[in-house]
């Protein structure tokens, strides 16, 4: 029986230790990673049927390979507790049959992260993704492949900020997407958004975004393709709560929402027009799409994004395949579909980890990336501070990068309490790596970066925390508005995850243990306010000053939030 890609990657850790025992390598895992894992192994796949869907989402403007530590906390509530994607660490490995210490374990979990990162290296890089996409198109034939971009593509880096997203637009054009949807793209403002879309050469699909004045669809809802002799309808779904998660004043022309009824109408229209396969290209988030699959009929595949979840293979819900393809360019999702008599009768699916040390860079894409990054190389590589700790962002409640940002806000804005938004974007630094300008902007690059300084009562702080917490842990996914929990500096609290709104946040205290009182006023600093006219220094400028003054940073991975399930 031929070895599968997963078999090979699973075999890796045992073979590695065998090499070490035989005395062939002082670091057997590195020896295996360098000598055994190949692009061909990563591309091994149970190809089938007439249609191949390639999915790429939430790259957040990361053109180069990155480290990105998966979360150690990903809590599901209600019917969604304890099932994918709400599994981490050992539970994740057990559910998907992955061996600890293997390349797949490194790609998907936080376990042994620093050691495995140093063994297997960075993931992603748009030039490596281009190599994979071209290889799959060559293998399957371009007439069978649909490449779909799930959004959150243009925002999240130094060059993205300096070029107003043009670096990502031009690089993505080389990948030749068939369609995309959006979320953070709207934070470039309406005029820039329209300008880019008009020149892309492929559609931005968003069936759930309407023109406020005319109450009619503002963008194309659906695009029909013929692949492998099969009619495939792709419907787009932008992030439904964009005007709440981001500043509505930047795109006041548009109204959003899940619009399940409108989606059903679009599915029915697609079927009436002869679609044999209907795909939802979604930026809803995994749990929203889990529920959507149970209330909208006729969807064969949902390619989901927004929550940055990475599942090794598609999950089937009510007859719909749901694949979430991670973030930051770490993965390329693939779904093959076998279609007979107008119905999907078979499928294969897999996330391909984009191991940058294994996959050769595509020359055309590498040249385009260099065109945007090389002129800024001196600034991108400028060292701001030494780092002696693991700096990461992702996790429901904390991340050491945001702990560091909260330290910077408290010191530079002279406040008692700091708040840092629960963004999921932002890459990882290993202990011993320098903190460069490039690194700082992967955590802070955005179009509304002002760091405010306000006074708030304890009651107001509780309202803020309760509101964000409900966005994350409402038992009805249709009321989950995205993001992880706001990070706090200078205070602690307890979160009762499964309580109802208003009863989740308790035991609020300053870092010295003094209880935060409802009617007492505290100085609070934060950034990324959605309010128009927010005043203060840009977060990246503030943090640059803070880091340069510090010289060396060491951020202990302390947990300021007690979580009660």
């Amino acid at each position: 029986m031929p070895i599968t890609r997963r078999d090979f990657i699973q075999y890796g850790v045992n073979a590695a230790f065998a090499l070490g025992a035989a005395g062939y390598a002082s670091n057997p895992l590195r020896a295996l990673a360098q000598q055994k894992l190949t692009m061909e192994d990563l591309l091994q796949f149970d190809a089938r049927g007439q249609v191949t869907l390639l999915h790429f989402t939430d790259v957040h403007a990361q053109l180069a390979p990155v480290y990105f530590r998966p979360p150690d906390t990903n809590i599901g509530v209600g019917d969604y507790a304890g099932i994918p994607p709400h599994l981490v660490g050992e539970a994740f490995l057990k559910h998907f049959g992955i061996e600890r210490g293997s390349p797949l374990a490194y790609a998907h979990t936080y376990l042994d992260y620093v050691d495995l990162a140093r063994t297997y290296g960075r993931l992603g890089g748009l030039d490596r993704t281009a190599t994979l996409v071209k290889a799959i198109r060559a293998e399957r034939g371009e007439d069978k492949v649909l490449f779909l971009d799930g959004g959150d593509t243009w925002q999240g880096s130094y060059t993205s900020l300096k070029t107003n997203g043009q670096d990502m637009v031009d690089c993505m054009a080389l990948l030749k997407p068939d369609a995309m949807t959006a979320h953070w793209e709207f934070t470039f403002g309406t005029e820039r958004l329209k300008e880019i879309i008009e020149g892309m050469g492929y559609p931005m699909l968003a069936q759930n975004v309407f023109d406020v004045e005319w109450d009619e669809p503002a963008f194309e809802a659906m695009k029909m393709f013929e692949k492998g002799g099969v009619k495939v309808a792709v419907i787009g779904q932008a992030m439904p709560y964009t005007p709440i998660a981001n500043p509505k004043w930047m795109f006041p022309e548009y109204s959003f929402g899940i619009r399940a009824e409108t989606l059903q109408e679009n599915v029915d229209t697609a079927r009436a027009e002869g679609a044999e396969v209907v795909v939802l290209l979604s930026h809803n988030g995994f749990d929203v799409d889990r529920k959507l699959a149970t209330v909208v009929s006729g969807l064969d595949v949902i390619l989901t994004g927004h929550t940055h979840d990475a599942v090794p293979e598609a999950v089937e819900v009510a007859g719909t395949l749901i694949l979430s393809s991670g973030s930051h360019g770490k993965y390329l999702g693939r779904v093959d579909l076998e279609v007979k008599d107008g119905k999907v009768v078979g499928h294969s699916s897999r996330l391909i980890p984009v191991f940058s040390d294994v996959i050769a860079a595509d020359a055309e894409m590498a040249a385009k990336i260099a065109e945007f990054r090389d002129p800024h190389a001196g600034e991108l590589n400028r060292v701001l501070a030494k780092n002696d700790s693991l700096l990461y962002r992702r996790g429901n409640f904390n991340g050491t990068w945001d702990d560091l940002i909260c330290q910077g806000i408290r010191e530079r804005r002279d406040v008692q309490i700091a708040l840092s938004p629960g963004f999921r974007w932002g890459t990882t630094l290993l202990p011993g790596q320098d903190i460069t300008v490039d690194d700082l902007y992967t955590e802070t690059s955005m179009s509304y970066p002002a760091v405010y300084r306000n006074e708030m009562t304890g009651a107001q702080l509780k309202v803020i925390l309760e509101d964000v917490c409900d966005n994350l842990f409402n038992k009805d996914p249709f009321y989950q508005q995205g993001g992880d929990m706001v990070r706090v500096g200078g205070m602690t609290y307890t979160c009762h995850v499964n309580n109802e709104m208003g009863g989740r946040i308790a035991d609020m205290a300053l870092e010295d243990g003094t209880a935060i009182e409802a009617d007492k006023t505290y100085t609070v600093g934060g950034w990324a306010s959605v309010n128009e006219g927010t005043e203060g220094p840009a977060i990246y400028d503030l943090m640059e000053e803070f880091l340069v003054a510090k010289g060396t940073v060491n951020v202990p991975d302390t947990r300021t939030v007690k979580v009660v399930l």
Side-chain angles (χ1 to χ4, degrees), residues 109-400:
T109 76
Y110 69 95
L111 297 171
D112 313 307
Y113 182 78
V114 172
D115 288 341
L116 293 180
R118 288 173 172 154
T119 295
Y120 294 112
R122 292 174 172 86
L123 286 97
L126 221 58
D127 50 2
R128 274 74 165 184
T129 299
T131 296
L132 293 177
V133 170
K134 287 182 177 180
I136 293 169
R137 281 175 170 152
E139 168 214 339
R140 291 287 279 167
E142 290 205 22
D143 65 321
K144 290 185 177 181
V145 178
L146 271 173
F147 178 70
L148 301 171
D149 173 7
D152 276 2
T153 304
W154 308 339
Q155 169 274 334
S157 73
Y158 181 92
T159 55
S160 153
L161 187 67
K162 299 302 181 183
T163 66
N164 216 8
Q166 197 63 47
D167 62 334
M168 292 306 302
V169 173
D170 288 3
C171 288
M172 287 301 296
L174 296 182
L175 288 176
K176 300 177 182 178
D178 293 286
M180 71 174 293
T181 193
H183 171 203
W184 274 84
E185 286 73 12
F186 286 95
T187 66
F188 284 85
T190 300
E191 293 309 311
R192 179 60 175 153
L193 178 73
K194 288 180 176 179
E195 179 185 24
I196 292 175
I197 291 172
E198 287 172 3
M200 284 195 313
Y202 54 93
M204 200 280 274
L205 304 176
Q207 72 91 31
N208 61 322
V209 182
F210 277 47
D211 180 274
V212 170
E213 183 177 0
W214 300 102
D215 193 31
E216 60 185 21
F219 302 93
E220 290 183 73
M222 176 180 65
K223 177 85 171 175
M224 194 78 77
F225 301 90
E226 184 167 318
K227 292 293 178 180
V230 174
K231 292 189 74 173
V232 181
V234 178
I235 302 171
Q237 177 88 352
M239 200 288 221
Y241 294 108
T242 300
I244 297 173
N246 308 98
K248 182 176 176 57
W249 57 267
M250 289 184 161
F251 40 89
E253 298 87 350
Y254 305 129
S255 67
F256 294 69
I258 294 173
R259 301 188 193 270
E261 297 84 0
T262 307
L263 176 57
Q264 184 66 71
E265 292 171 4
N266 280 302
V267 172
D268 294 344
T269 297
R271 294 294 184 186
E273 293 178 359
E276 299 163 272
V277 175
V278 179
V279 177
L280 183 66
L281 178 60
S282 168
H283 209 89
N284 281 333
F286 203 106
D287 285 355
V288 176
D289 282 324
R290 262 190 179 275
K291 180 176 178 179
L292 202 62
T294 69
V295 300
V296 174
S297 62
L299 289 171
D300 295 298
V301 179
I302 299 177
L303 300 176
T304 189
H306 178 56
T307 42
H308 292 196
D309 300 305
V311 291
E313 56 198 18
V315 174
E316 188 168 352
V317 178
T320 299
L321 296 172
I322 305 177
L323 184 68
S324 182
S325 300
S327 66
H328 295 81
K330 280 183 64 174
Y331 314 91
L332 178 66
R334 176 174 174 177
V335 180
D336 280 15
L337 301 172
E338 182 180 356
V339 183
K340 185 176 181 181
D341 299 327
K343 294 182 179 179
V344 175
V345 296
H347 71 274
S348 299
S349 63
R350 192 64 53 87
L351 280 196
I352 303 170
V354 184
F355 286 99
S356 63
D357 288 346
V358 172
I359 301 166
D362 174 74
E364 181 185 32
M365 183 67 80
K368 180 61 68 174
I369 292 171
E371 180 182 319
F372 285 101
R373 285 180 61 85
D374 285 359
H376 301 282
E379 184 67 0
L380 290 170
N381 297 323
R382 181 163 60 89
V383 175
L384 302 177
K386 304 291 184 182
N387 168 48
D388 288 339
S389 51
L390 177 66
L391 293 178
Y392 68 93
R393 172 166 278 168
R394 184 71 225 276
N396 284 160
F397 286 96
N398 81 300
T400 50

Side-chain angles (χ1 to χ4, degrees), residues 465-546:
L465 295 177
E466 287 281 3
D467 183 60
V468 178
C469 200
D470 195 62
N471 291 345
L472 184 59
F473 297 121
N474 192 300
K475 291 183 175 62
D476 184 344
F478 280 11
Y479 291 95
Q480 294 176 5
Q481 297 170 7
D484 284 315
M485 191 61 186
V486 60
R487 278 63 161 121
V488 298
M491 67 170 288
T492 63
Y493 66 92
T494 299
C495 179
H496 298 268
V497 168
N498 287 296
N499 286 2
E500 296 301 316
M501 175 74 164
R504 292 191 180 97
I505 306 301
D507 307 323
M508 293 177 14
L510 297 175
E511 63 181 352
D512 64 3
T514 304
I516 292 177
E517 300 175 29
D519 58 354
K520 189 172 180 179
T521 299
Y522 303 88
T523 53
V524 180
W527 63 291
S529 170
V530 299
N531 297 320
E532 189 172 8
T534 299
E535 296 182 354
I539 184 64
Y540 34 80
D541 292 335
L542 179 147
M543 285 303 298
E544 178 175 334
E545 293 176 0
F546 172 75

